[in-house]
Amino acid sequence: NAGVMQNPRHLVRRRGQEARLRCSPMKGHSHVYWYRQLPEEGLKFMVYLQKENIIDESGMPKERFSAEFPKEGPSILRIQQVVRGDSAAYFCASSPDRELFFGSGTQLSVL
Amino acid sequence: AQRVTQPEKLLSVFKGAPVELKCNYSYSGSPELFWYVQYSRQRLQLLLRHISRESIKGFTADLNKGETSFHLKKPFAQEEDSAMYYCALSAYNTDKLIFGTGTRLQVFP
């Protein structure tokens, strides 16, 4: 079991471009969580998904951010028209129960 | 509102010294508490959870509902304990974890 896989590890975008972050959960896990870590801050919950369902998106910004977890393929966190403030580490985690297994994260840098 | 507070950004100790990483939480119900650890160049991983009541790598944590605390303790720190430590809370009947801002533990030889 390769663990939670996130790609890319590093993503550089210019302001106004779109960022797509991918997460493949551990085999057998059907729950996916996205967290964001800003410099000097802790992990902030963004969204919790199960296959084809958004369960809790209370941490997602109202605009420009969206997430999906299709029946086939990885979970995608999409950020449209990125701004400098979106620069952060984005972590994905999957879970069979309360224990979260984290990926290595994607470091997004917006120029 | 659910909140986890880790008041120390950095804790530095010498090898062999006792360690206590503080964690306080705010939640009106019955939470489930966790400690996660991130060693250098590794991914975040679960260290221990309060319902297990076990000691992992010499670390223990007791949930104190009166003080709403879940401090992480180890009697004798080792250099390999140097890492970022995050306290986290899960509200009853949810799977969402609320994390604190983390404490960096540095253990000097």
Side-chain angles (χ1 to χ4, degrees):
Chain A
N1 197 330
V4 177
M5 303 300 292
Q6 286 188 253
N7 67 82
R9 287 297 301 273
H10 302 276
L11 182 60
V12 179
R13 285 287 178 266
R14 295 191 181 280
R15 280 178 296 171
Q17 290 184 320
E18 179 180 285
R20 282 186 176 233
L21 290 66
R22 294 175 184 76
C23 170
S24 296
M26 288 181 71
K27 189 175 180 181
H29 292 188
S30 59
H31 302 207
V32 166
Y33 304 78
W34 285 94
Y35 285 81
R36 175 165 64 174
Q37 186 175 38
L38 293 165
E40 302 299 316
E41 294 188 24
L43 290 157
K44 301 287 189 186
F45 169 80
M46 299 182 75
V47 62
Y48 163 36
L49 310 105
Q50 292 180 10
K51 286 281 187 183
E52 300 183 283
N53 277 312
I54 297 175
I55 307 302
D56 182 345
E57 57 181 347
S58 57
M60 288 280 270
K62 293 287 185 280
E63 297 176 346
R64 302 188 297 108
F65 284 71
S66 62
E68 62 176 10
F69 188 17
K71 189 176 180 181
E72 301 290 338
S75 175
I76 306 286
L77 179 66
R78 183 180 175 205
I79 311 172
Q80 295 177 293
Q81 299 174 328
V82 295
V83 301
R84 289 226 172 102
D86 296 332
S87 296
Y90 291 83
F91 290 92
C92 170
S94 70
S95 168
D97 58 24
R98 295 290 183 89
E99 180 179 351
L100 297 189
F101 293 83
F102 281 85
S104 299
T106 293
Q107 181 65 49
L108 173 64
S109 299
V110 180
L111 305 180
Chain B
Q2 302 155 19
R3 187 166 56 244
V4 176
T5 303
Q6 293 181 251
E8 302 142 330
K9 272 192 172 181
L10 174 66
L11 183 62
S12 299
V13 300
F14 285 103
K15 177 182 171 182
V19 167
E20 182 178 69
L21 288 83
K22 291 184 168 41
C23 171
N24 289 89
Y25 66 90
S26 172
Y27 178 61
S28 57
S30 295
E32 189 169 349
L33 275 297
F34 304 79
W35 277 98
Y36 278 78
V37 61
Q38 187 172 28
Y39 300 102
S40 179
R41 301 183 191 281
Q42 295 186 26
R43 58 187 68 188
L44 197 63
Q45 57 187 289
L46 179 66
L47 180 63
L48 55 81
R49 54 204 303 180
H50 91 269
I51 59 171
S52 300
R53 295 184 171 274
E54 55 189 348
S55 173
I56 305 293
K57 298 184 179 183
F59 284 98
T60 59
D62 291 318
L63 179 61
N64 185 323
K65 290 187 178 180
E67 296 182 359
T68 60
S69 68
F70 188 56
H71 304 325
L72 184 68
K73 300 177 184 179
K74 184 169 182 176
F76 308 103
Q78 303 298 315
E79 288 180 69
E80 55 266 28
D81 296 329
S82 296
M84 278 293 292
Y85 290 81
Y86 294 93
C87 183
L89 173 154
S90 175
Y92 177 74
N93 211 28
T94 75
D95 294 310
K96 182 171 71 179
L97 284 185
I98 307 296
F99 284 86
T101 50
T103 298
R104 178 170 297 283
L105 174 65
Q106 288 182 332
V107 181
F108 294 107

